[in-house]
Amino acid sequence: MRTIDDLDLAGKRVLVRSDLNVPLDDGKITDDGRIRASLPTIEALRERGARVVVCAHLGRPKGEAKPEFSLAPVAARLGELLGTEVAFAADTAGESARATVDGLADGQVALLENLRFEPGETSKDDAERGAFADRLAALADAYVGDGFGAVHRKHASVFDVPARLPHAAGGLIATEVGVLRRLTDDVERPYAVVLGGSKVSDKLGVIDNLLGKADRILIGGGMVFTFLKAQGHEVGKSLLEEDQLDTVRAYLARAEENGVEFVLPVDVVAATAFSADAEHDVVAADAIPADRLGLDIGPESGKLFAERLADARTVFWNGPMGVFELAPYANGTRAVAQGLIDSGAFTVVGGGDSAAAVRTLGFDENAFSHISTGGGASLEYLEGKTLPGLQALED
């Protein structure tokens, strides 16, 4: 996979596919982690004298130009972080985009409007997607793929544009791939995997693949109640995927056959309602009252998980242990994050909600070996899938 060091980019228009899909609240960015992660590649291109044309998506506007999904706030924040003005195109590959790009001098930066305002970006029709890719490619002399959070999507800006221009991987993608190889190819053991989040179905592929690779798998979050139910326990009104019970039972059996340790919570925080103000208590994991729902792993489970991480040399964590956004249900996620830090292992936080939790709960990001910018992409890589965006950069 080529890097930007392999291309002569001075004076060239370089289209950079970044991941700037940040959370917004009433037009204000609430977490700029992905913008900050995009800075090193953009700055490296500026230093090489490139004319940097950044493109990205935000949310799911489904092919329509919706003001609430505009990248205008992102352009402003990107300019603040770079310490230079970032020109903003009012469209993605139209008249404004062409004029904005034409106005760039060497070392200057522009951001195009939301890629997903264009139906061709996400189209499953090769011709429609290709036509949009043609328009995007016409804005540039070279392409740099740096949006790791989108490489598992067969989208025009990720998959089709690289085929039309000299291309290379940006620093962020190169780093992410290097980290993921340490989780798959030459793993330092013991290798522990912590999985949380709401649904088992979101993690089926990665659990299936890791049953042959990990030494132990720790399960928390909303998905744990399907595991507890599969063991015959009452889970009350907790989140449950009835259609996955047989699959989960099969995973537990395979884990035992393969010598993979499955670690489930021994207690949970069970509440009368999904609310920070609801009555809540710590109960045994096998004795959740029928009228309550579990919203976090309990304190003894937090200690247990930390103990099972203490001797690990490699840890991958994807998914919070509870509803960390609500203070009464944040302690399980906090315990796991601290457990990763205390282990001294090579620790990878797998993007998405886990990365947001680390920042929301006030942890120093540098205390972890790597915080991924792409939760879904990380999981699909660990499932062993071919990621279209990486495949396009390797061709």
Side-chain angles (χ1 to χ4, degrees):
M1 190 181 291
R2 283 172 295 190
T3 69
I4 58 177
D5 292 331
D6 299 317
L7 299 179
D8 177 14
L9 300 174
K12 302 285 181 64
R13 300 169 302 159
V14 180
L15 184 70
V16 184
R17 188 11 167 137
S18 297
D19 180 5
L20 306 177
N21 188 27
V22 295
L24 294 176
D25 183 7
D26 197 23
K28 295 181 180 177
I29 298 166
T30 57
D31 182 352
D32 66 0
R34 283 178 169 157
I35 303 176
R36 288 185 285 112
S38 74
L39 295 179
T41 294
I42 294 171
E43 289 173 330
L45 292 169
R46 290 184 68 209
E47 289 168 4
R48 286 164 172 75
R51 303 178 183 195
V52 186
V53 183
V54 182
C55 64
H57 75 276
L58 179 66
R60 296 182 179 180
K62 298 183 179 179
E64 296 180 33
K66 297 180 179 178
E68 64 269 29
F69 293 112
S70 174
L71 281 170
V74 175
R77 182 59 180 150
L78 181 60
E80 289 173 2
L81 292 169
L82 288 171
T84 186
E85 182 182 356
V86 171
F88 183 62
D91 57 30
T92 309
E95 187 175 331
S96 177
R98 289 190 294 271
T100 301
V101 173
D102 287 345
L104 291 177
D106 294 357
Q108 291 186 328
V109 182
L111 176 63
L112 306 179
E113 184 54 284
N114 194 337
L115 287 161
R116 292 187 181 174
F117 283 1
E118 295 271 356
E121 166 66 0
T122 59
S123 176
K124 289 181 169 55
D125 180 84
D126 291 348
E128 184 180 16
R129 211 177 55 247
F132 177 54
D134 287 339
R135 291 168 55 210
L136 268 180
L139 297 171
D141 305 303
Y143 172 91
V144 171
D146 206 43
F148 181 74
V151 294
H152 58 314
R153 307 294 188 193
K154 193 176 181 181
H155 290 173
S157 65
V158 175
F159 181 75
D160 300 276
V161 174
R164 290 158 166 78
L165 293 169
H167 53 268
L172 180 59
I173 278 187
T175 297
E176 293 272 12
V177 171
V179 165
L180 288 169
R181 283 178 177 155
R182 287 187 64 175
L183 297 178
T184 52
D185 296 342
D186 189 19
V187 183
E188 190 177 353
R189 298 185 180 278
Y191 177 19
V193 176
V194 187
L195 297 175
S198 58
K199 294 182 179 180
V200 175
S201 53
D202 292 341
K203 307 286 195 307
L204 289 177
V206 74
I207 294 173
D208 189 64
N209 205 33
L210 287 170
L211 280 171
K213 294 184 170 66
D215 296 301
R216 65 184 69 119
I217 299 175
L218 290 66
I219 303 288
M223 64 187 286
V224 78
F225 302 106
T226 303
F227 280 84
L228 293 173
K229 185 72 171 181
Q231 292 182 323
H233 303 311
E234 170 66 57
V235 297
K237 295 180 179 178
S238 306
L239 189 64
L240 175 65
E241 289 183 278
E242 293 267 7
D243 60 334
Q244 301 299 337
L245 289 172
D246 287 343
T247 302
V248 166
R249 290 187 189 103
Y251 285 157
L252 292 170
R254 270 181 60 201
E256 191 169 353
E257 291 169 10
N258 294 352
V260 177
E261 180 187 3
F262 247 102
V263 185
L264 299 178
V266 292
D267 59 352
V268 301
V269 181
T272 55
F274 191 98
S275 167
D277 300 323
E279 181 183 332
H280 58 274
D281 297 293
V282 176
V283 301
D286 60 358
I288 299 171
D291 61 346
R292 295 207 174 202
L293 68 160
L295 295 178
D296 193 15
I297 63 171
E300 291 305 314
S301 301
K303 292 177 187 175
L304 172 65
F305 281 24
E307 288 169 4
R308 303 312 292 139
L309 294 173
D311 69 339
R313 303 318 310 143
T314 303
V315 183
F316 173 71
W317 170 33
N318 182 283
M321 297 294 100
V323 188
F324 72 90
E325 299 92 341
L326 304 179
Y329 319 118
N331 290 329
T333 301
R334 185 179 285 110
V336 163
Q338 190 62 52
L340 262 73
I341 294 169
D342 293 343
S343 72
F346 176 70
T347 53
V348 180
V349 180
D353 288 340
S354 313
V358 163
R359 290 188 278 267
T360 300
L361 297 177
F363 286 95
D364 179 0
E365 294 182 44
N366 294 321
F368 304 89
S369 304
H370 181 71
I371 297 181
S372 178
T373 56
S378 297
L379 288 175
E380 290 200 14
Y381 189 102
L382 292 179
E383 286 175 35
K385 290 184 176 178
T386 297
L387 307 188
L390 298 184
Q391 181 185 29
L393 293 174
E394 288 167 354
D395 291 344

